[in-house]
């Protein structure tokens, strides 16, 4: 049995995974959904990593207890790409899966990542190609929820928490990407991290060509069944 550890992006809500979780469990897998202390101004990347470890539970890997978790796959969404890899030396992770995720370089901050990778230019080019005004006021529905069912969008916007700035100012501490099998899953219609942009970054930084699936940035809310199949 695989245990999927689901790490959210900015805002840190475990609720983000609530539609995906039943699909994974229906396939006979265990699921751990992580809630990160995103609103805590004192919480940085190390606290995020420790929160993931604590949520999984170290004791679940001790000895041969009945509750022992095996085949641990860590799934990271968006900004979760900065925190999820940090647990690979703290838990027996068998695989990492990045879902429309930010892929950091050693020493890079999440705040600098946007400029370093050319995200803004990629977003503008995608907007122009699709007939959207790249200079319009930023609308989260346009960029994040355009393919998410309306009731789910309403619920998400009601529970959305502010993301504190500390993790964006901390250099990513690893000297290299963890030596763990890694997959990159990308939504073909992601408007904030366009598919060509994600493909370029994944190939440049990890040497991995993303696996594509229908949908935008919030795949666990818009296409949970399809995402479960790929996982």
């Amino acid at each position: 049995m695989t245990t999927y550890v689901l790490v959210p992006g900015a805002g840190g809500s475990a609720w983000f995974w609530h539609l995906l979780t039943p699909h994974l469990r229906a396939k006979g897998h265990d699921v751990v959904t992580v809630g990160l202390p995103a609103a805590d101004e004192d919480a940085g990347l190390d606290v995020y990593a420790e929160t993931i470890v604590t949520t999984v539970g170290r004791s679940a890997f001790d000895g041969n207890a009945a509750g022992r978790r095996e085949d641990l796959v860590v799934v990271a969404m968006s900004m979760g790409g900065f925190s999820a890899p940090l647990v690979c030396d703290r838990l027996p992770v068998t695989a990492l899966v990045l879902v429309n995720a930010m892929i950091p370089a050693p020493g890079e901050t999440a705040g600098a990542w946007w400029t370093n990778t050319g995200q803004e230019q990629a977003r503008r080019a995608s907007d122009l190609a699709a007939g959207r005004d790249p200079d319009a006021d930023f609308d989260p529905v346009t960029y994040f929820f355009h393919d998410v069912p309306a009731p789910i969008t309403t619920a998400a916007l009601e529970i959305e928490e502010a993301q504190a700035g500390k993790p964006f100012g901390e250099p990513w501490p690893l000297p290299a990407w963890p030596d763990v099998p890694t997959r990159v899953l990308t939504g073909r219609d992601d408007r904030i991290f366009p598919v060509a942009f994600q493909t370029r970054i994944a190939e440049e930084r990890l040497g991995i060509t993303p696996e594509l699936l229908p949908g935008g940035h919030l795949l666990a809310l818009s296409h949970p069944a399809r995402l479960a199949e790929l996982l």
Side-chain angles (χ1 to χ4, degrees):
M1 177 177 65
T2 297
T3 297
Y4 289 95
V5 179
L6 308 180
V7 180
S13 177
W15 178 90
F16 173 76
W17 303 107
H18 78 284
L19 297 179
L20 175 65
T21 296
H23 290 284
L24 293 175
R25 288 183 171 148
K27 297 177 182 295
H29 303 300
D30 192 11
V31 181
V32 177
T33 56
V34 178
L36 297 174
D40 186 348
E41 294 290 347
D42 295 323
L45 292 175
D46 189 63
V47 172
Y48 283 22
E50 190 60 30
T51 300
I52 298 169
V53 172
T54 301
T55 303
V56 174
R58 286 193 183 92
S59 62
F61 296 95
D62 295 337
N64 294 309
R68 189 177 191 274
R69 301 187 190 280
E70 297 180 344
D71 193 15
L72 188 69
V73 175
V74 178
V75 181
M77 163 66 192
S78 198
M79 185 188 169
F82 267 75
S83 58
L86 304 183
V87 308
C88 290
D89 64 348
R90 312 184 196 192
L91 293 171
V93 177
T94 56
L96 283 169
V97 183
L98 305 177
V99 181
N100 290 330
M102 299 168 70
I103 301 173
E108 183 176 57
T109 68
W113 179 91
W114 306 80
T115 299
N116 292 349
T117 58
Q119 180 274 339
E120 177 63 12
Q121 297 92 322
R123 180 196 65 79
R124 291 180 63 86
S126 176
D127 284 345
L128 289 170
R132 294 185 295 273
D133 180 1
D135 296 311
D137 291 341
F138 186 84
D139 178 12
V141 174
T142 296
Y143 286 99
F144 293 109
F145 294 97
H146 57 93
D147 63 336
V148 175
I152 302 300
T153 297
T154 299
L157 293 175
E158 287 177 350
I159 69 171
E160 183 178 11
E161 293 190 24
Q163 171 63 53
K166 184 170 183 177
F168 286 93
E170 294 184 329
W172 196 62
L174 298 185
W177 192 258
D179 186 17
V180 173
T182 301
R183 298 170 64 196
V184 178
L185 306 185
T186 296
R188 287 191 177 93
D189 195 29
D190 192 330
R191 296 179 179 180
I192 195 72
F193 298 161
V195 61
F197 165 77
Q198 287 199 53
T199 299
R200 173 174 61 82
I201 299 304
E203 291 179 344
E204 288 178 354
R205 295 194 167 190
L206 299 180
I208 297 172
T209 299
E211 302 168 60
L212 304 183
L213 65 163
H217 193 67
L218 304 179
L219 292 170
L221 297 179
S222 61
H223 292 77
R226 180 61 178 137
L227 180 55
E229 289 176 4
L230 280 183
L231 290 176

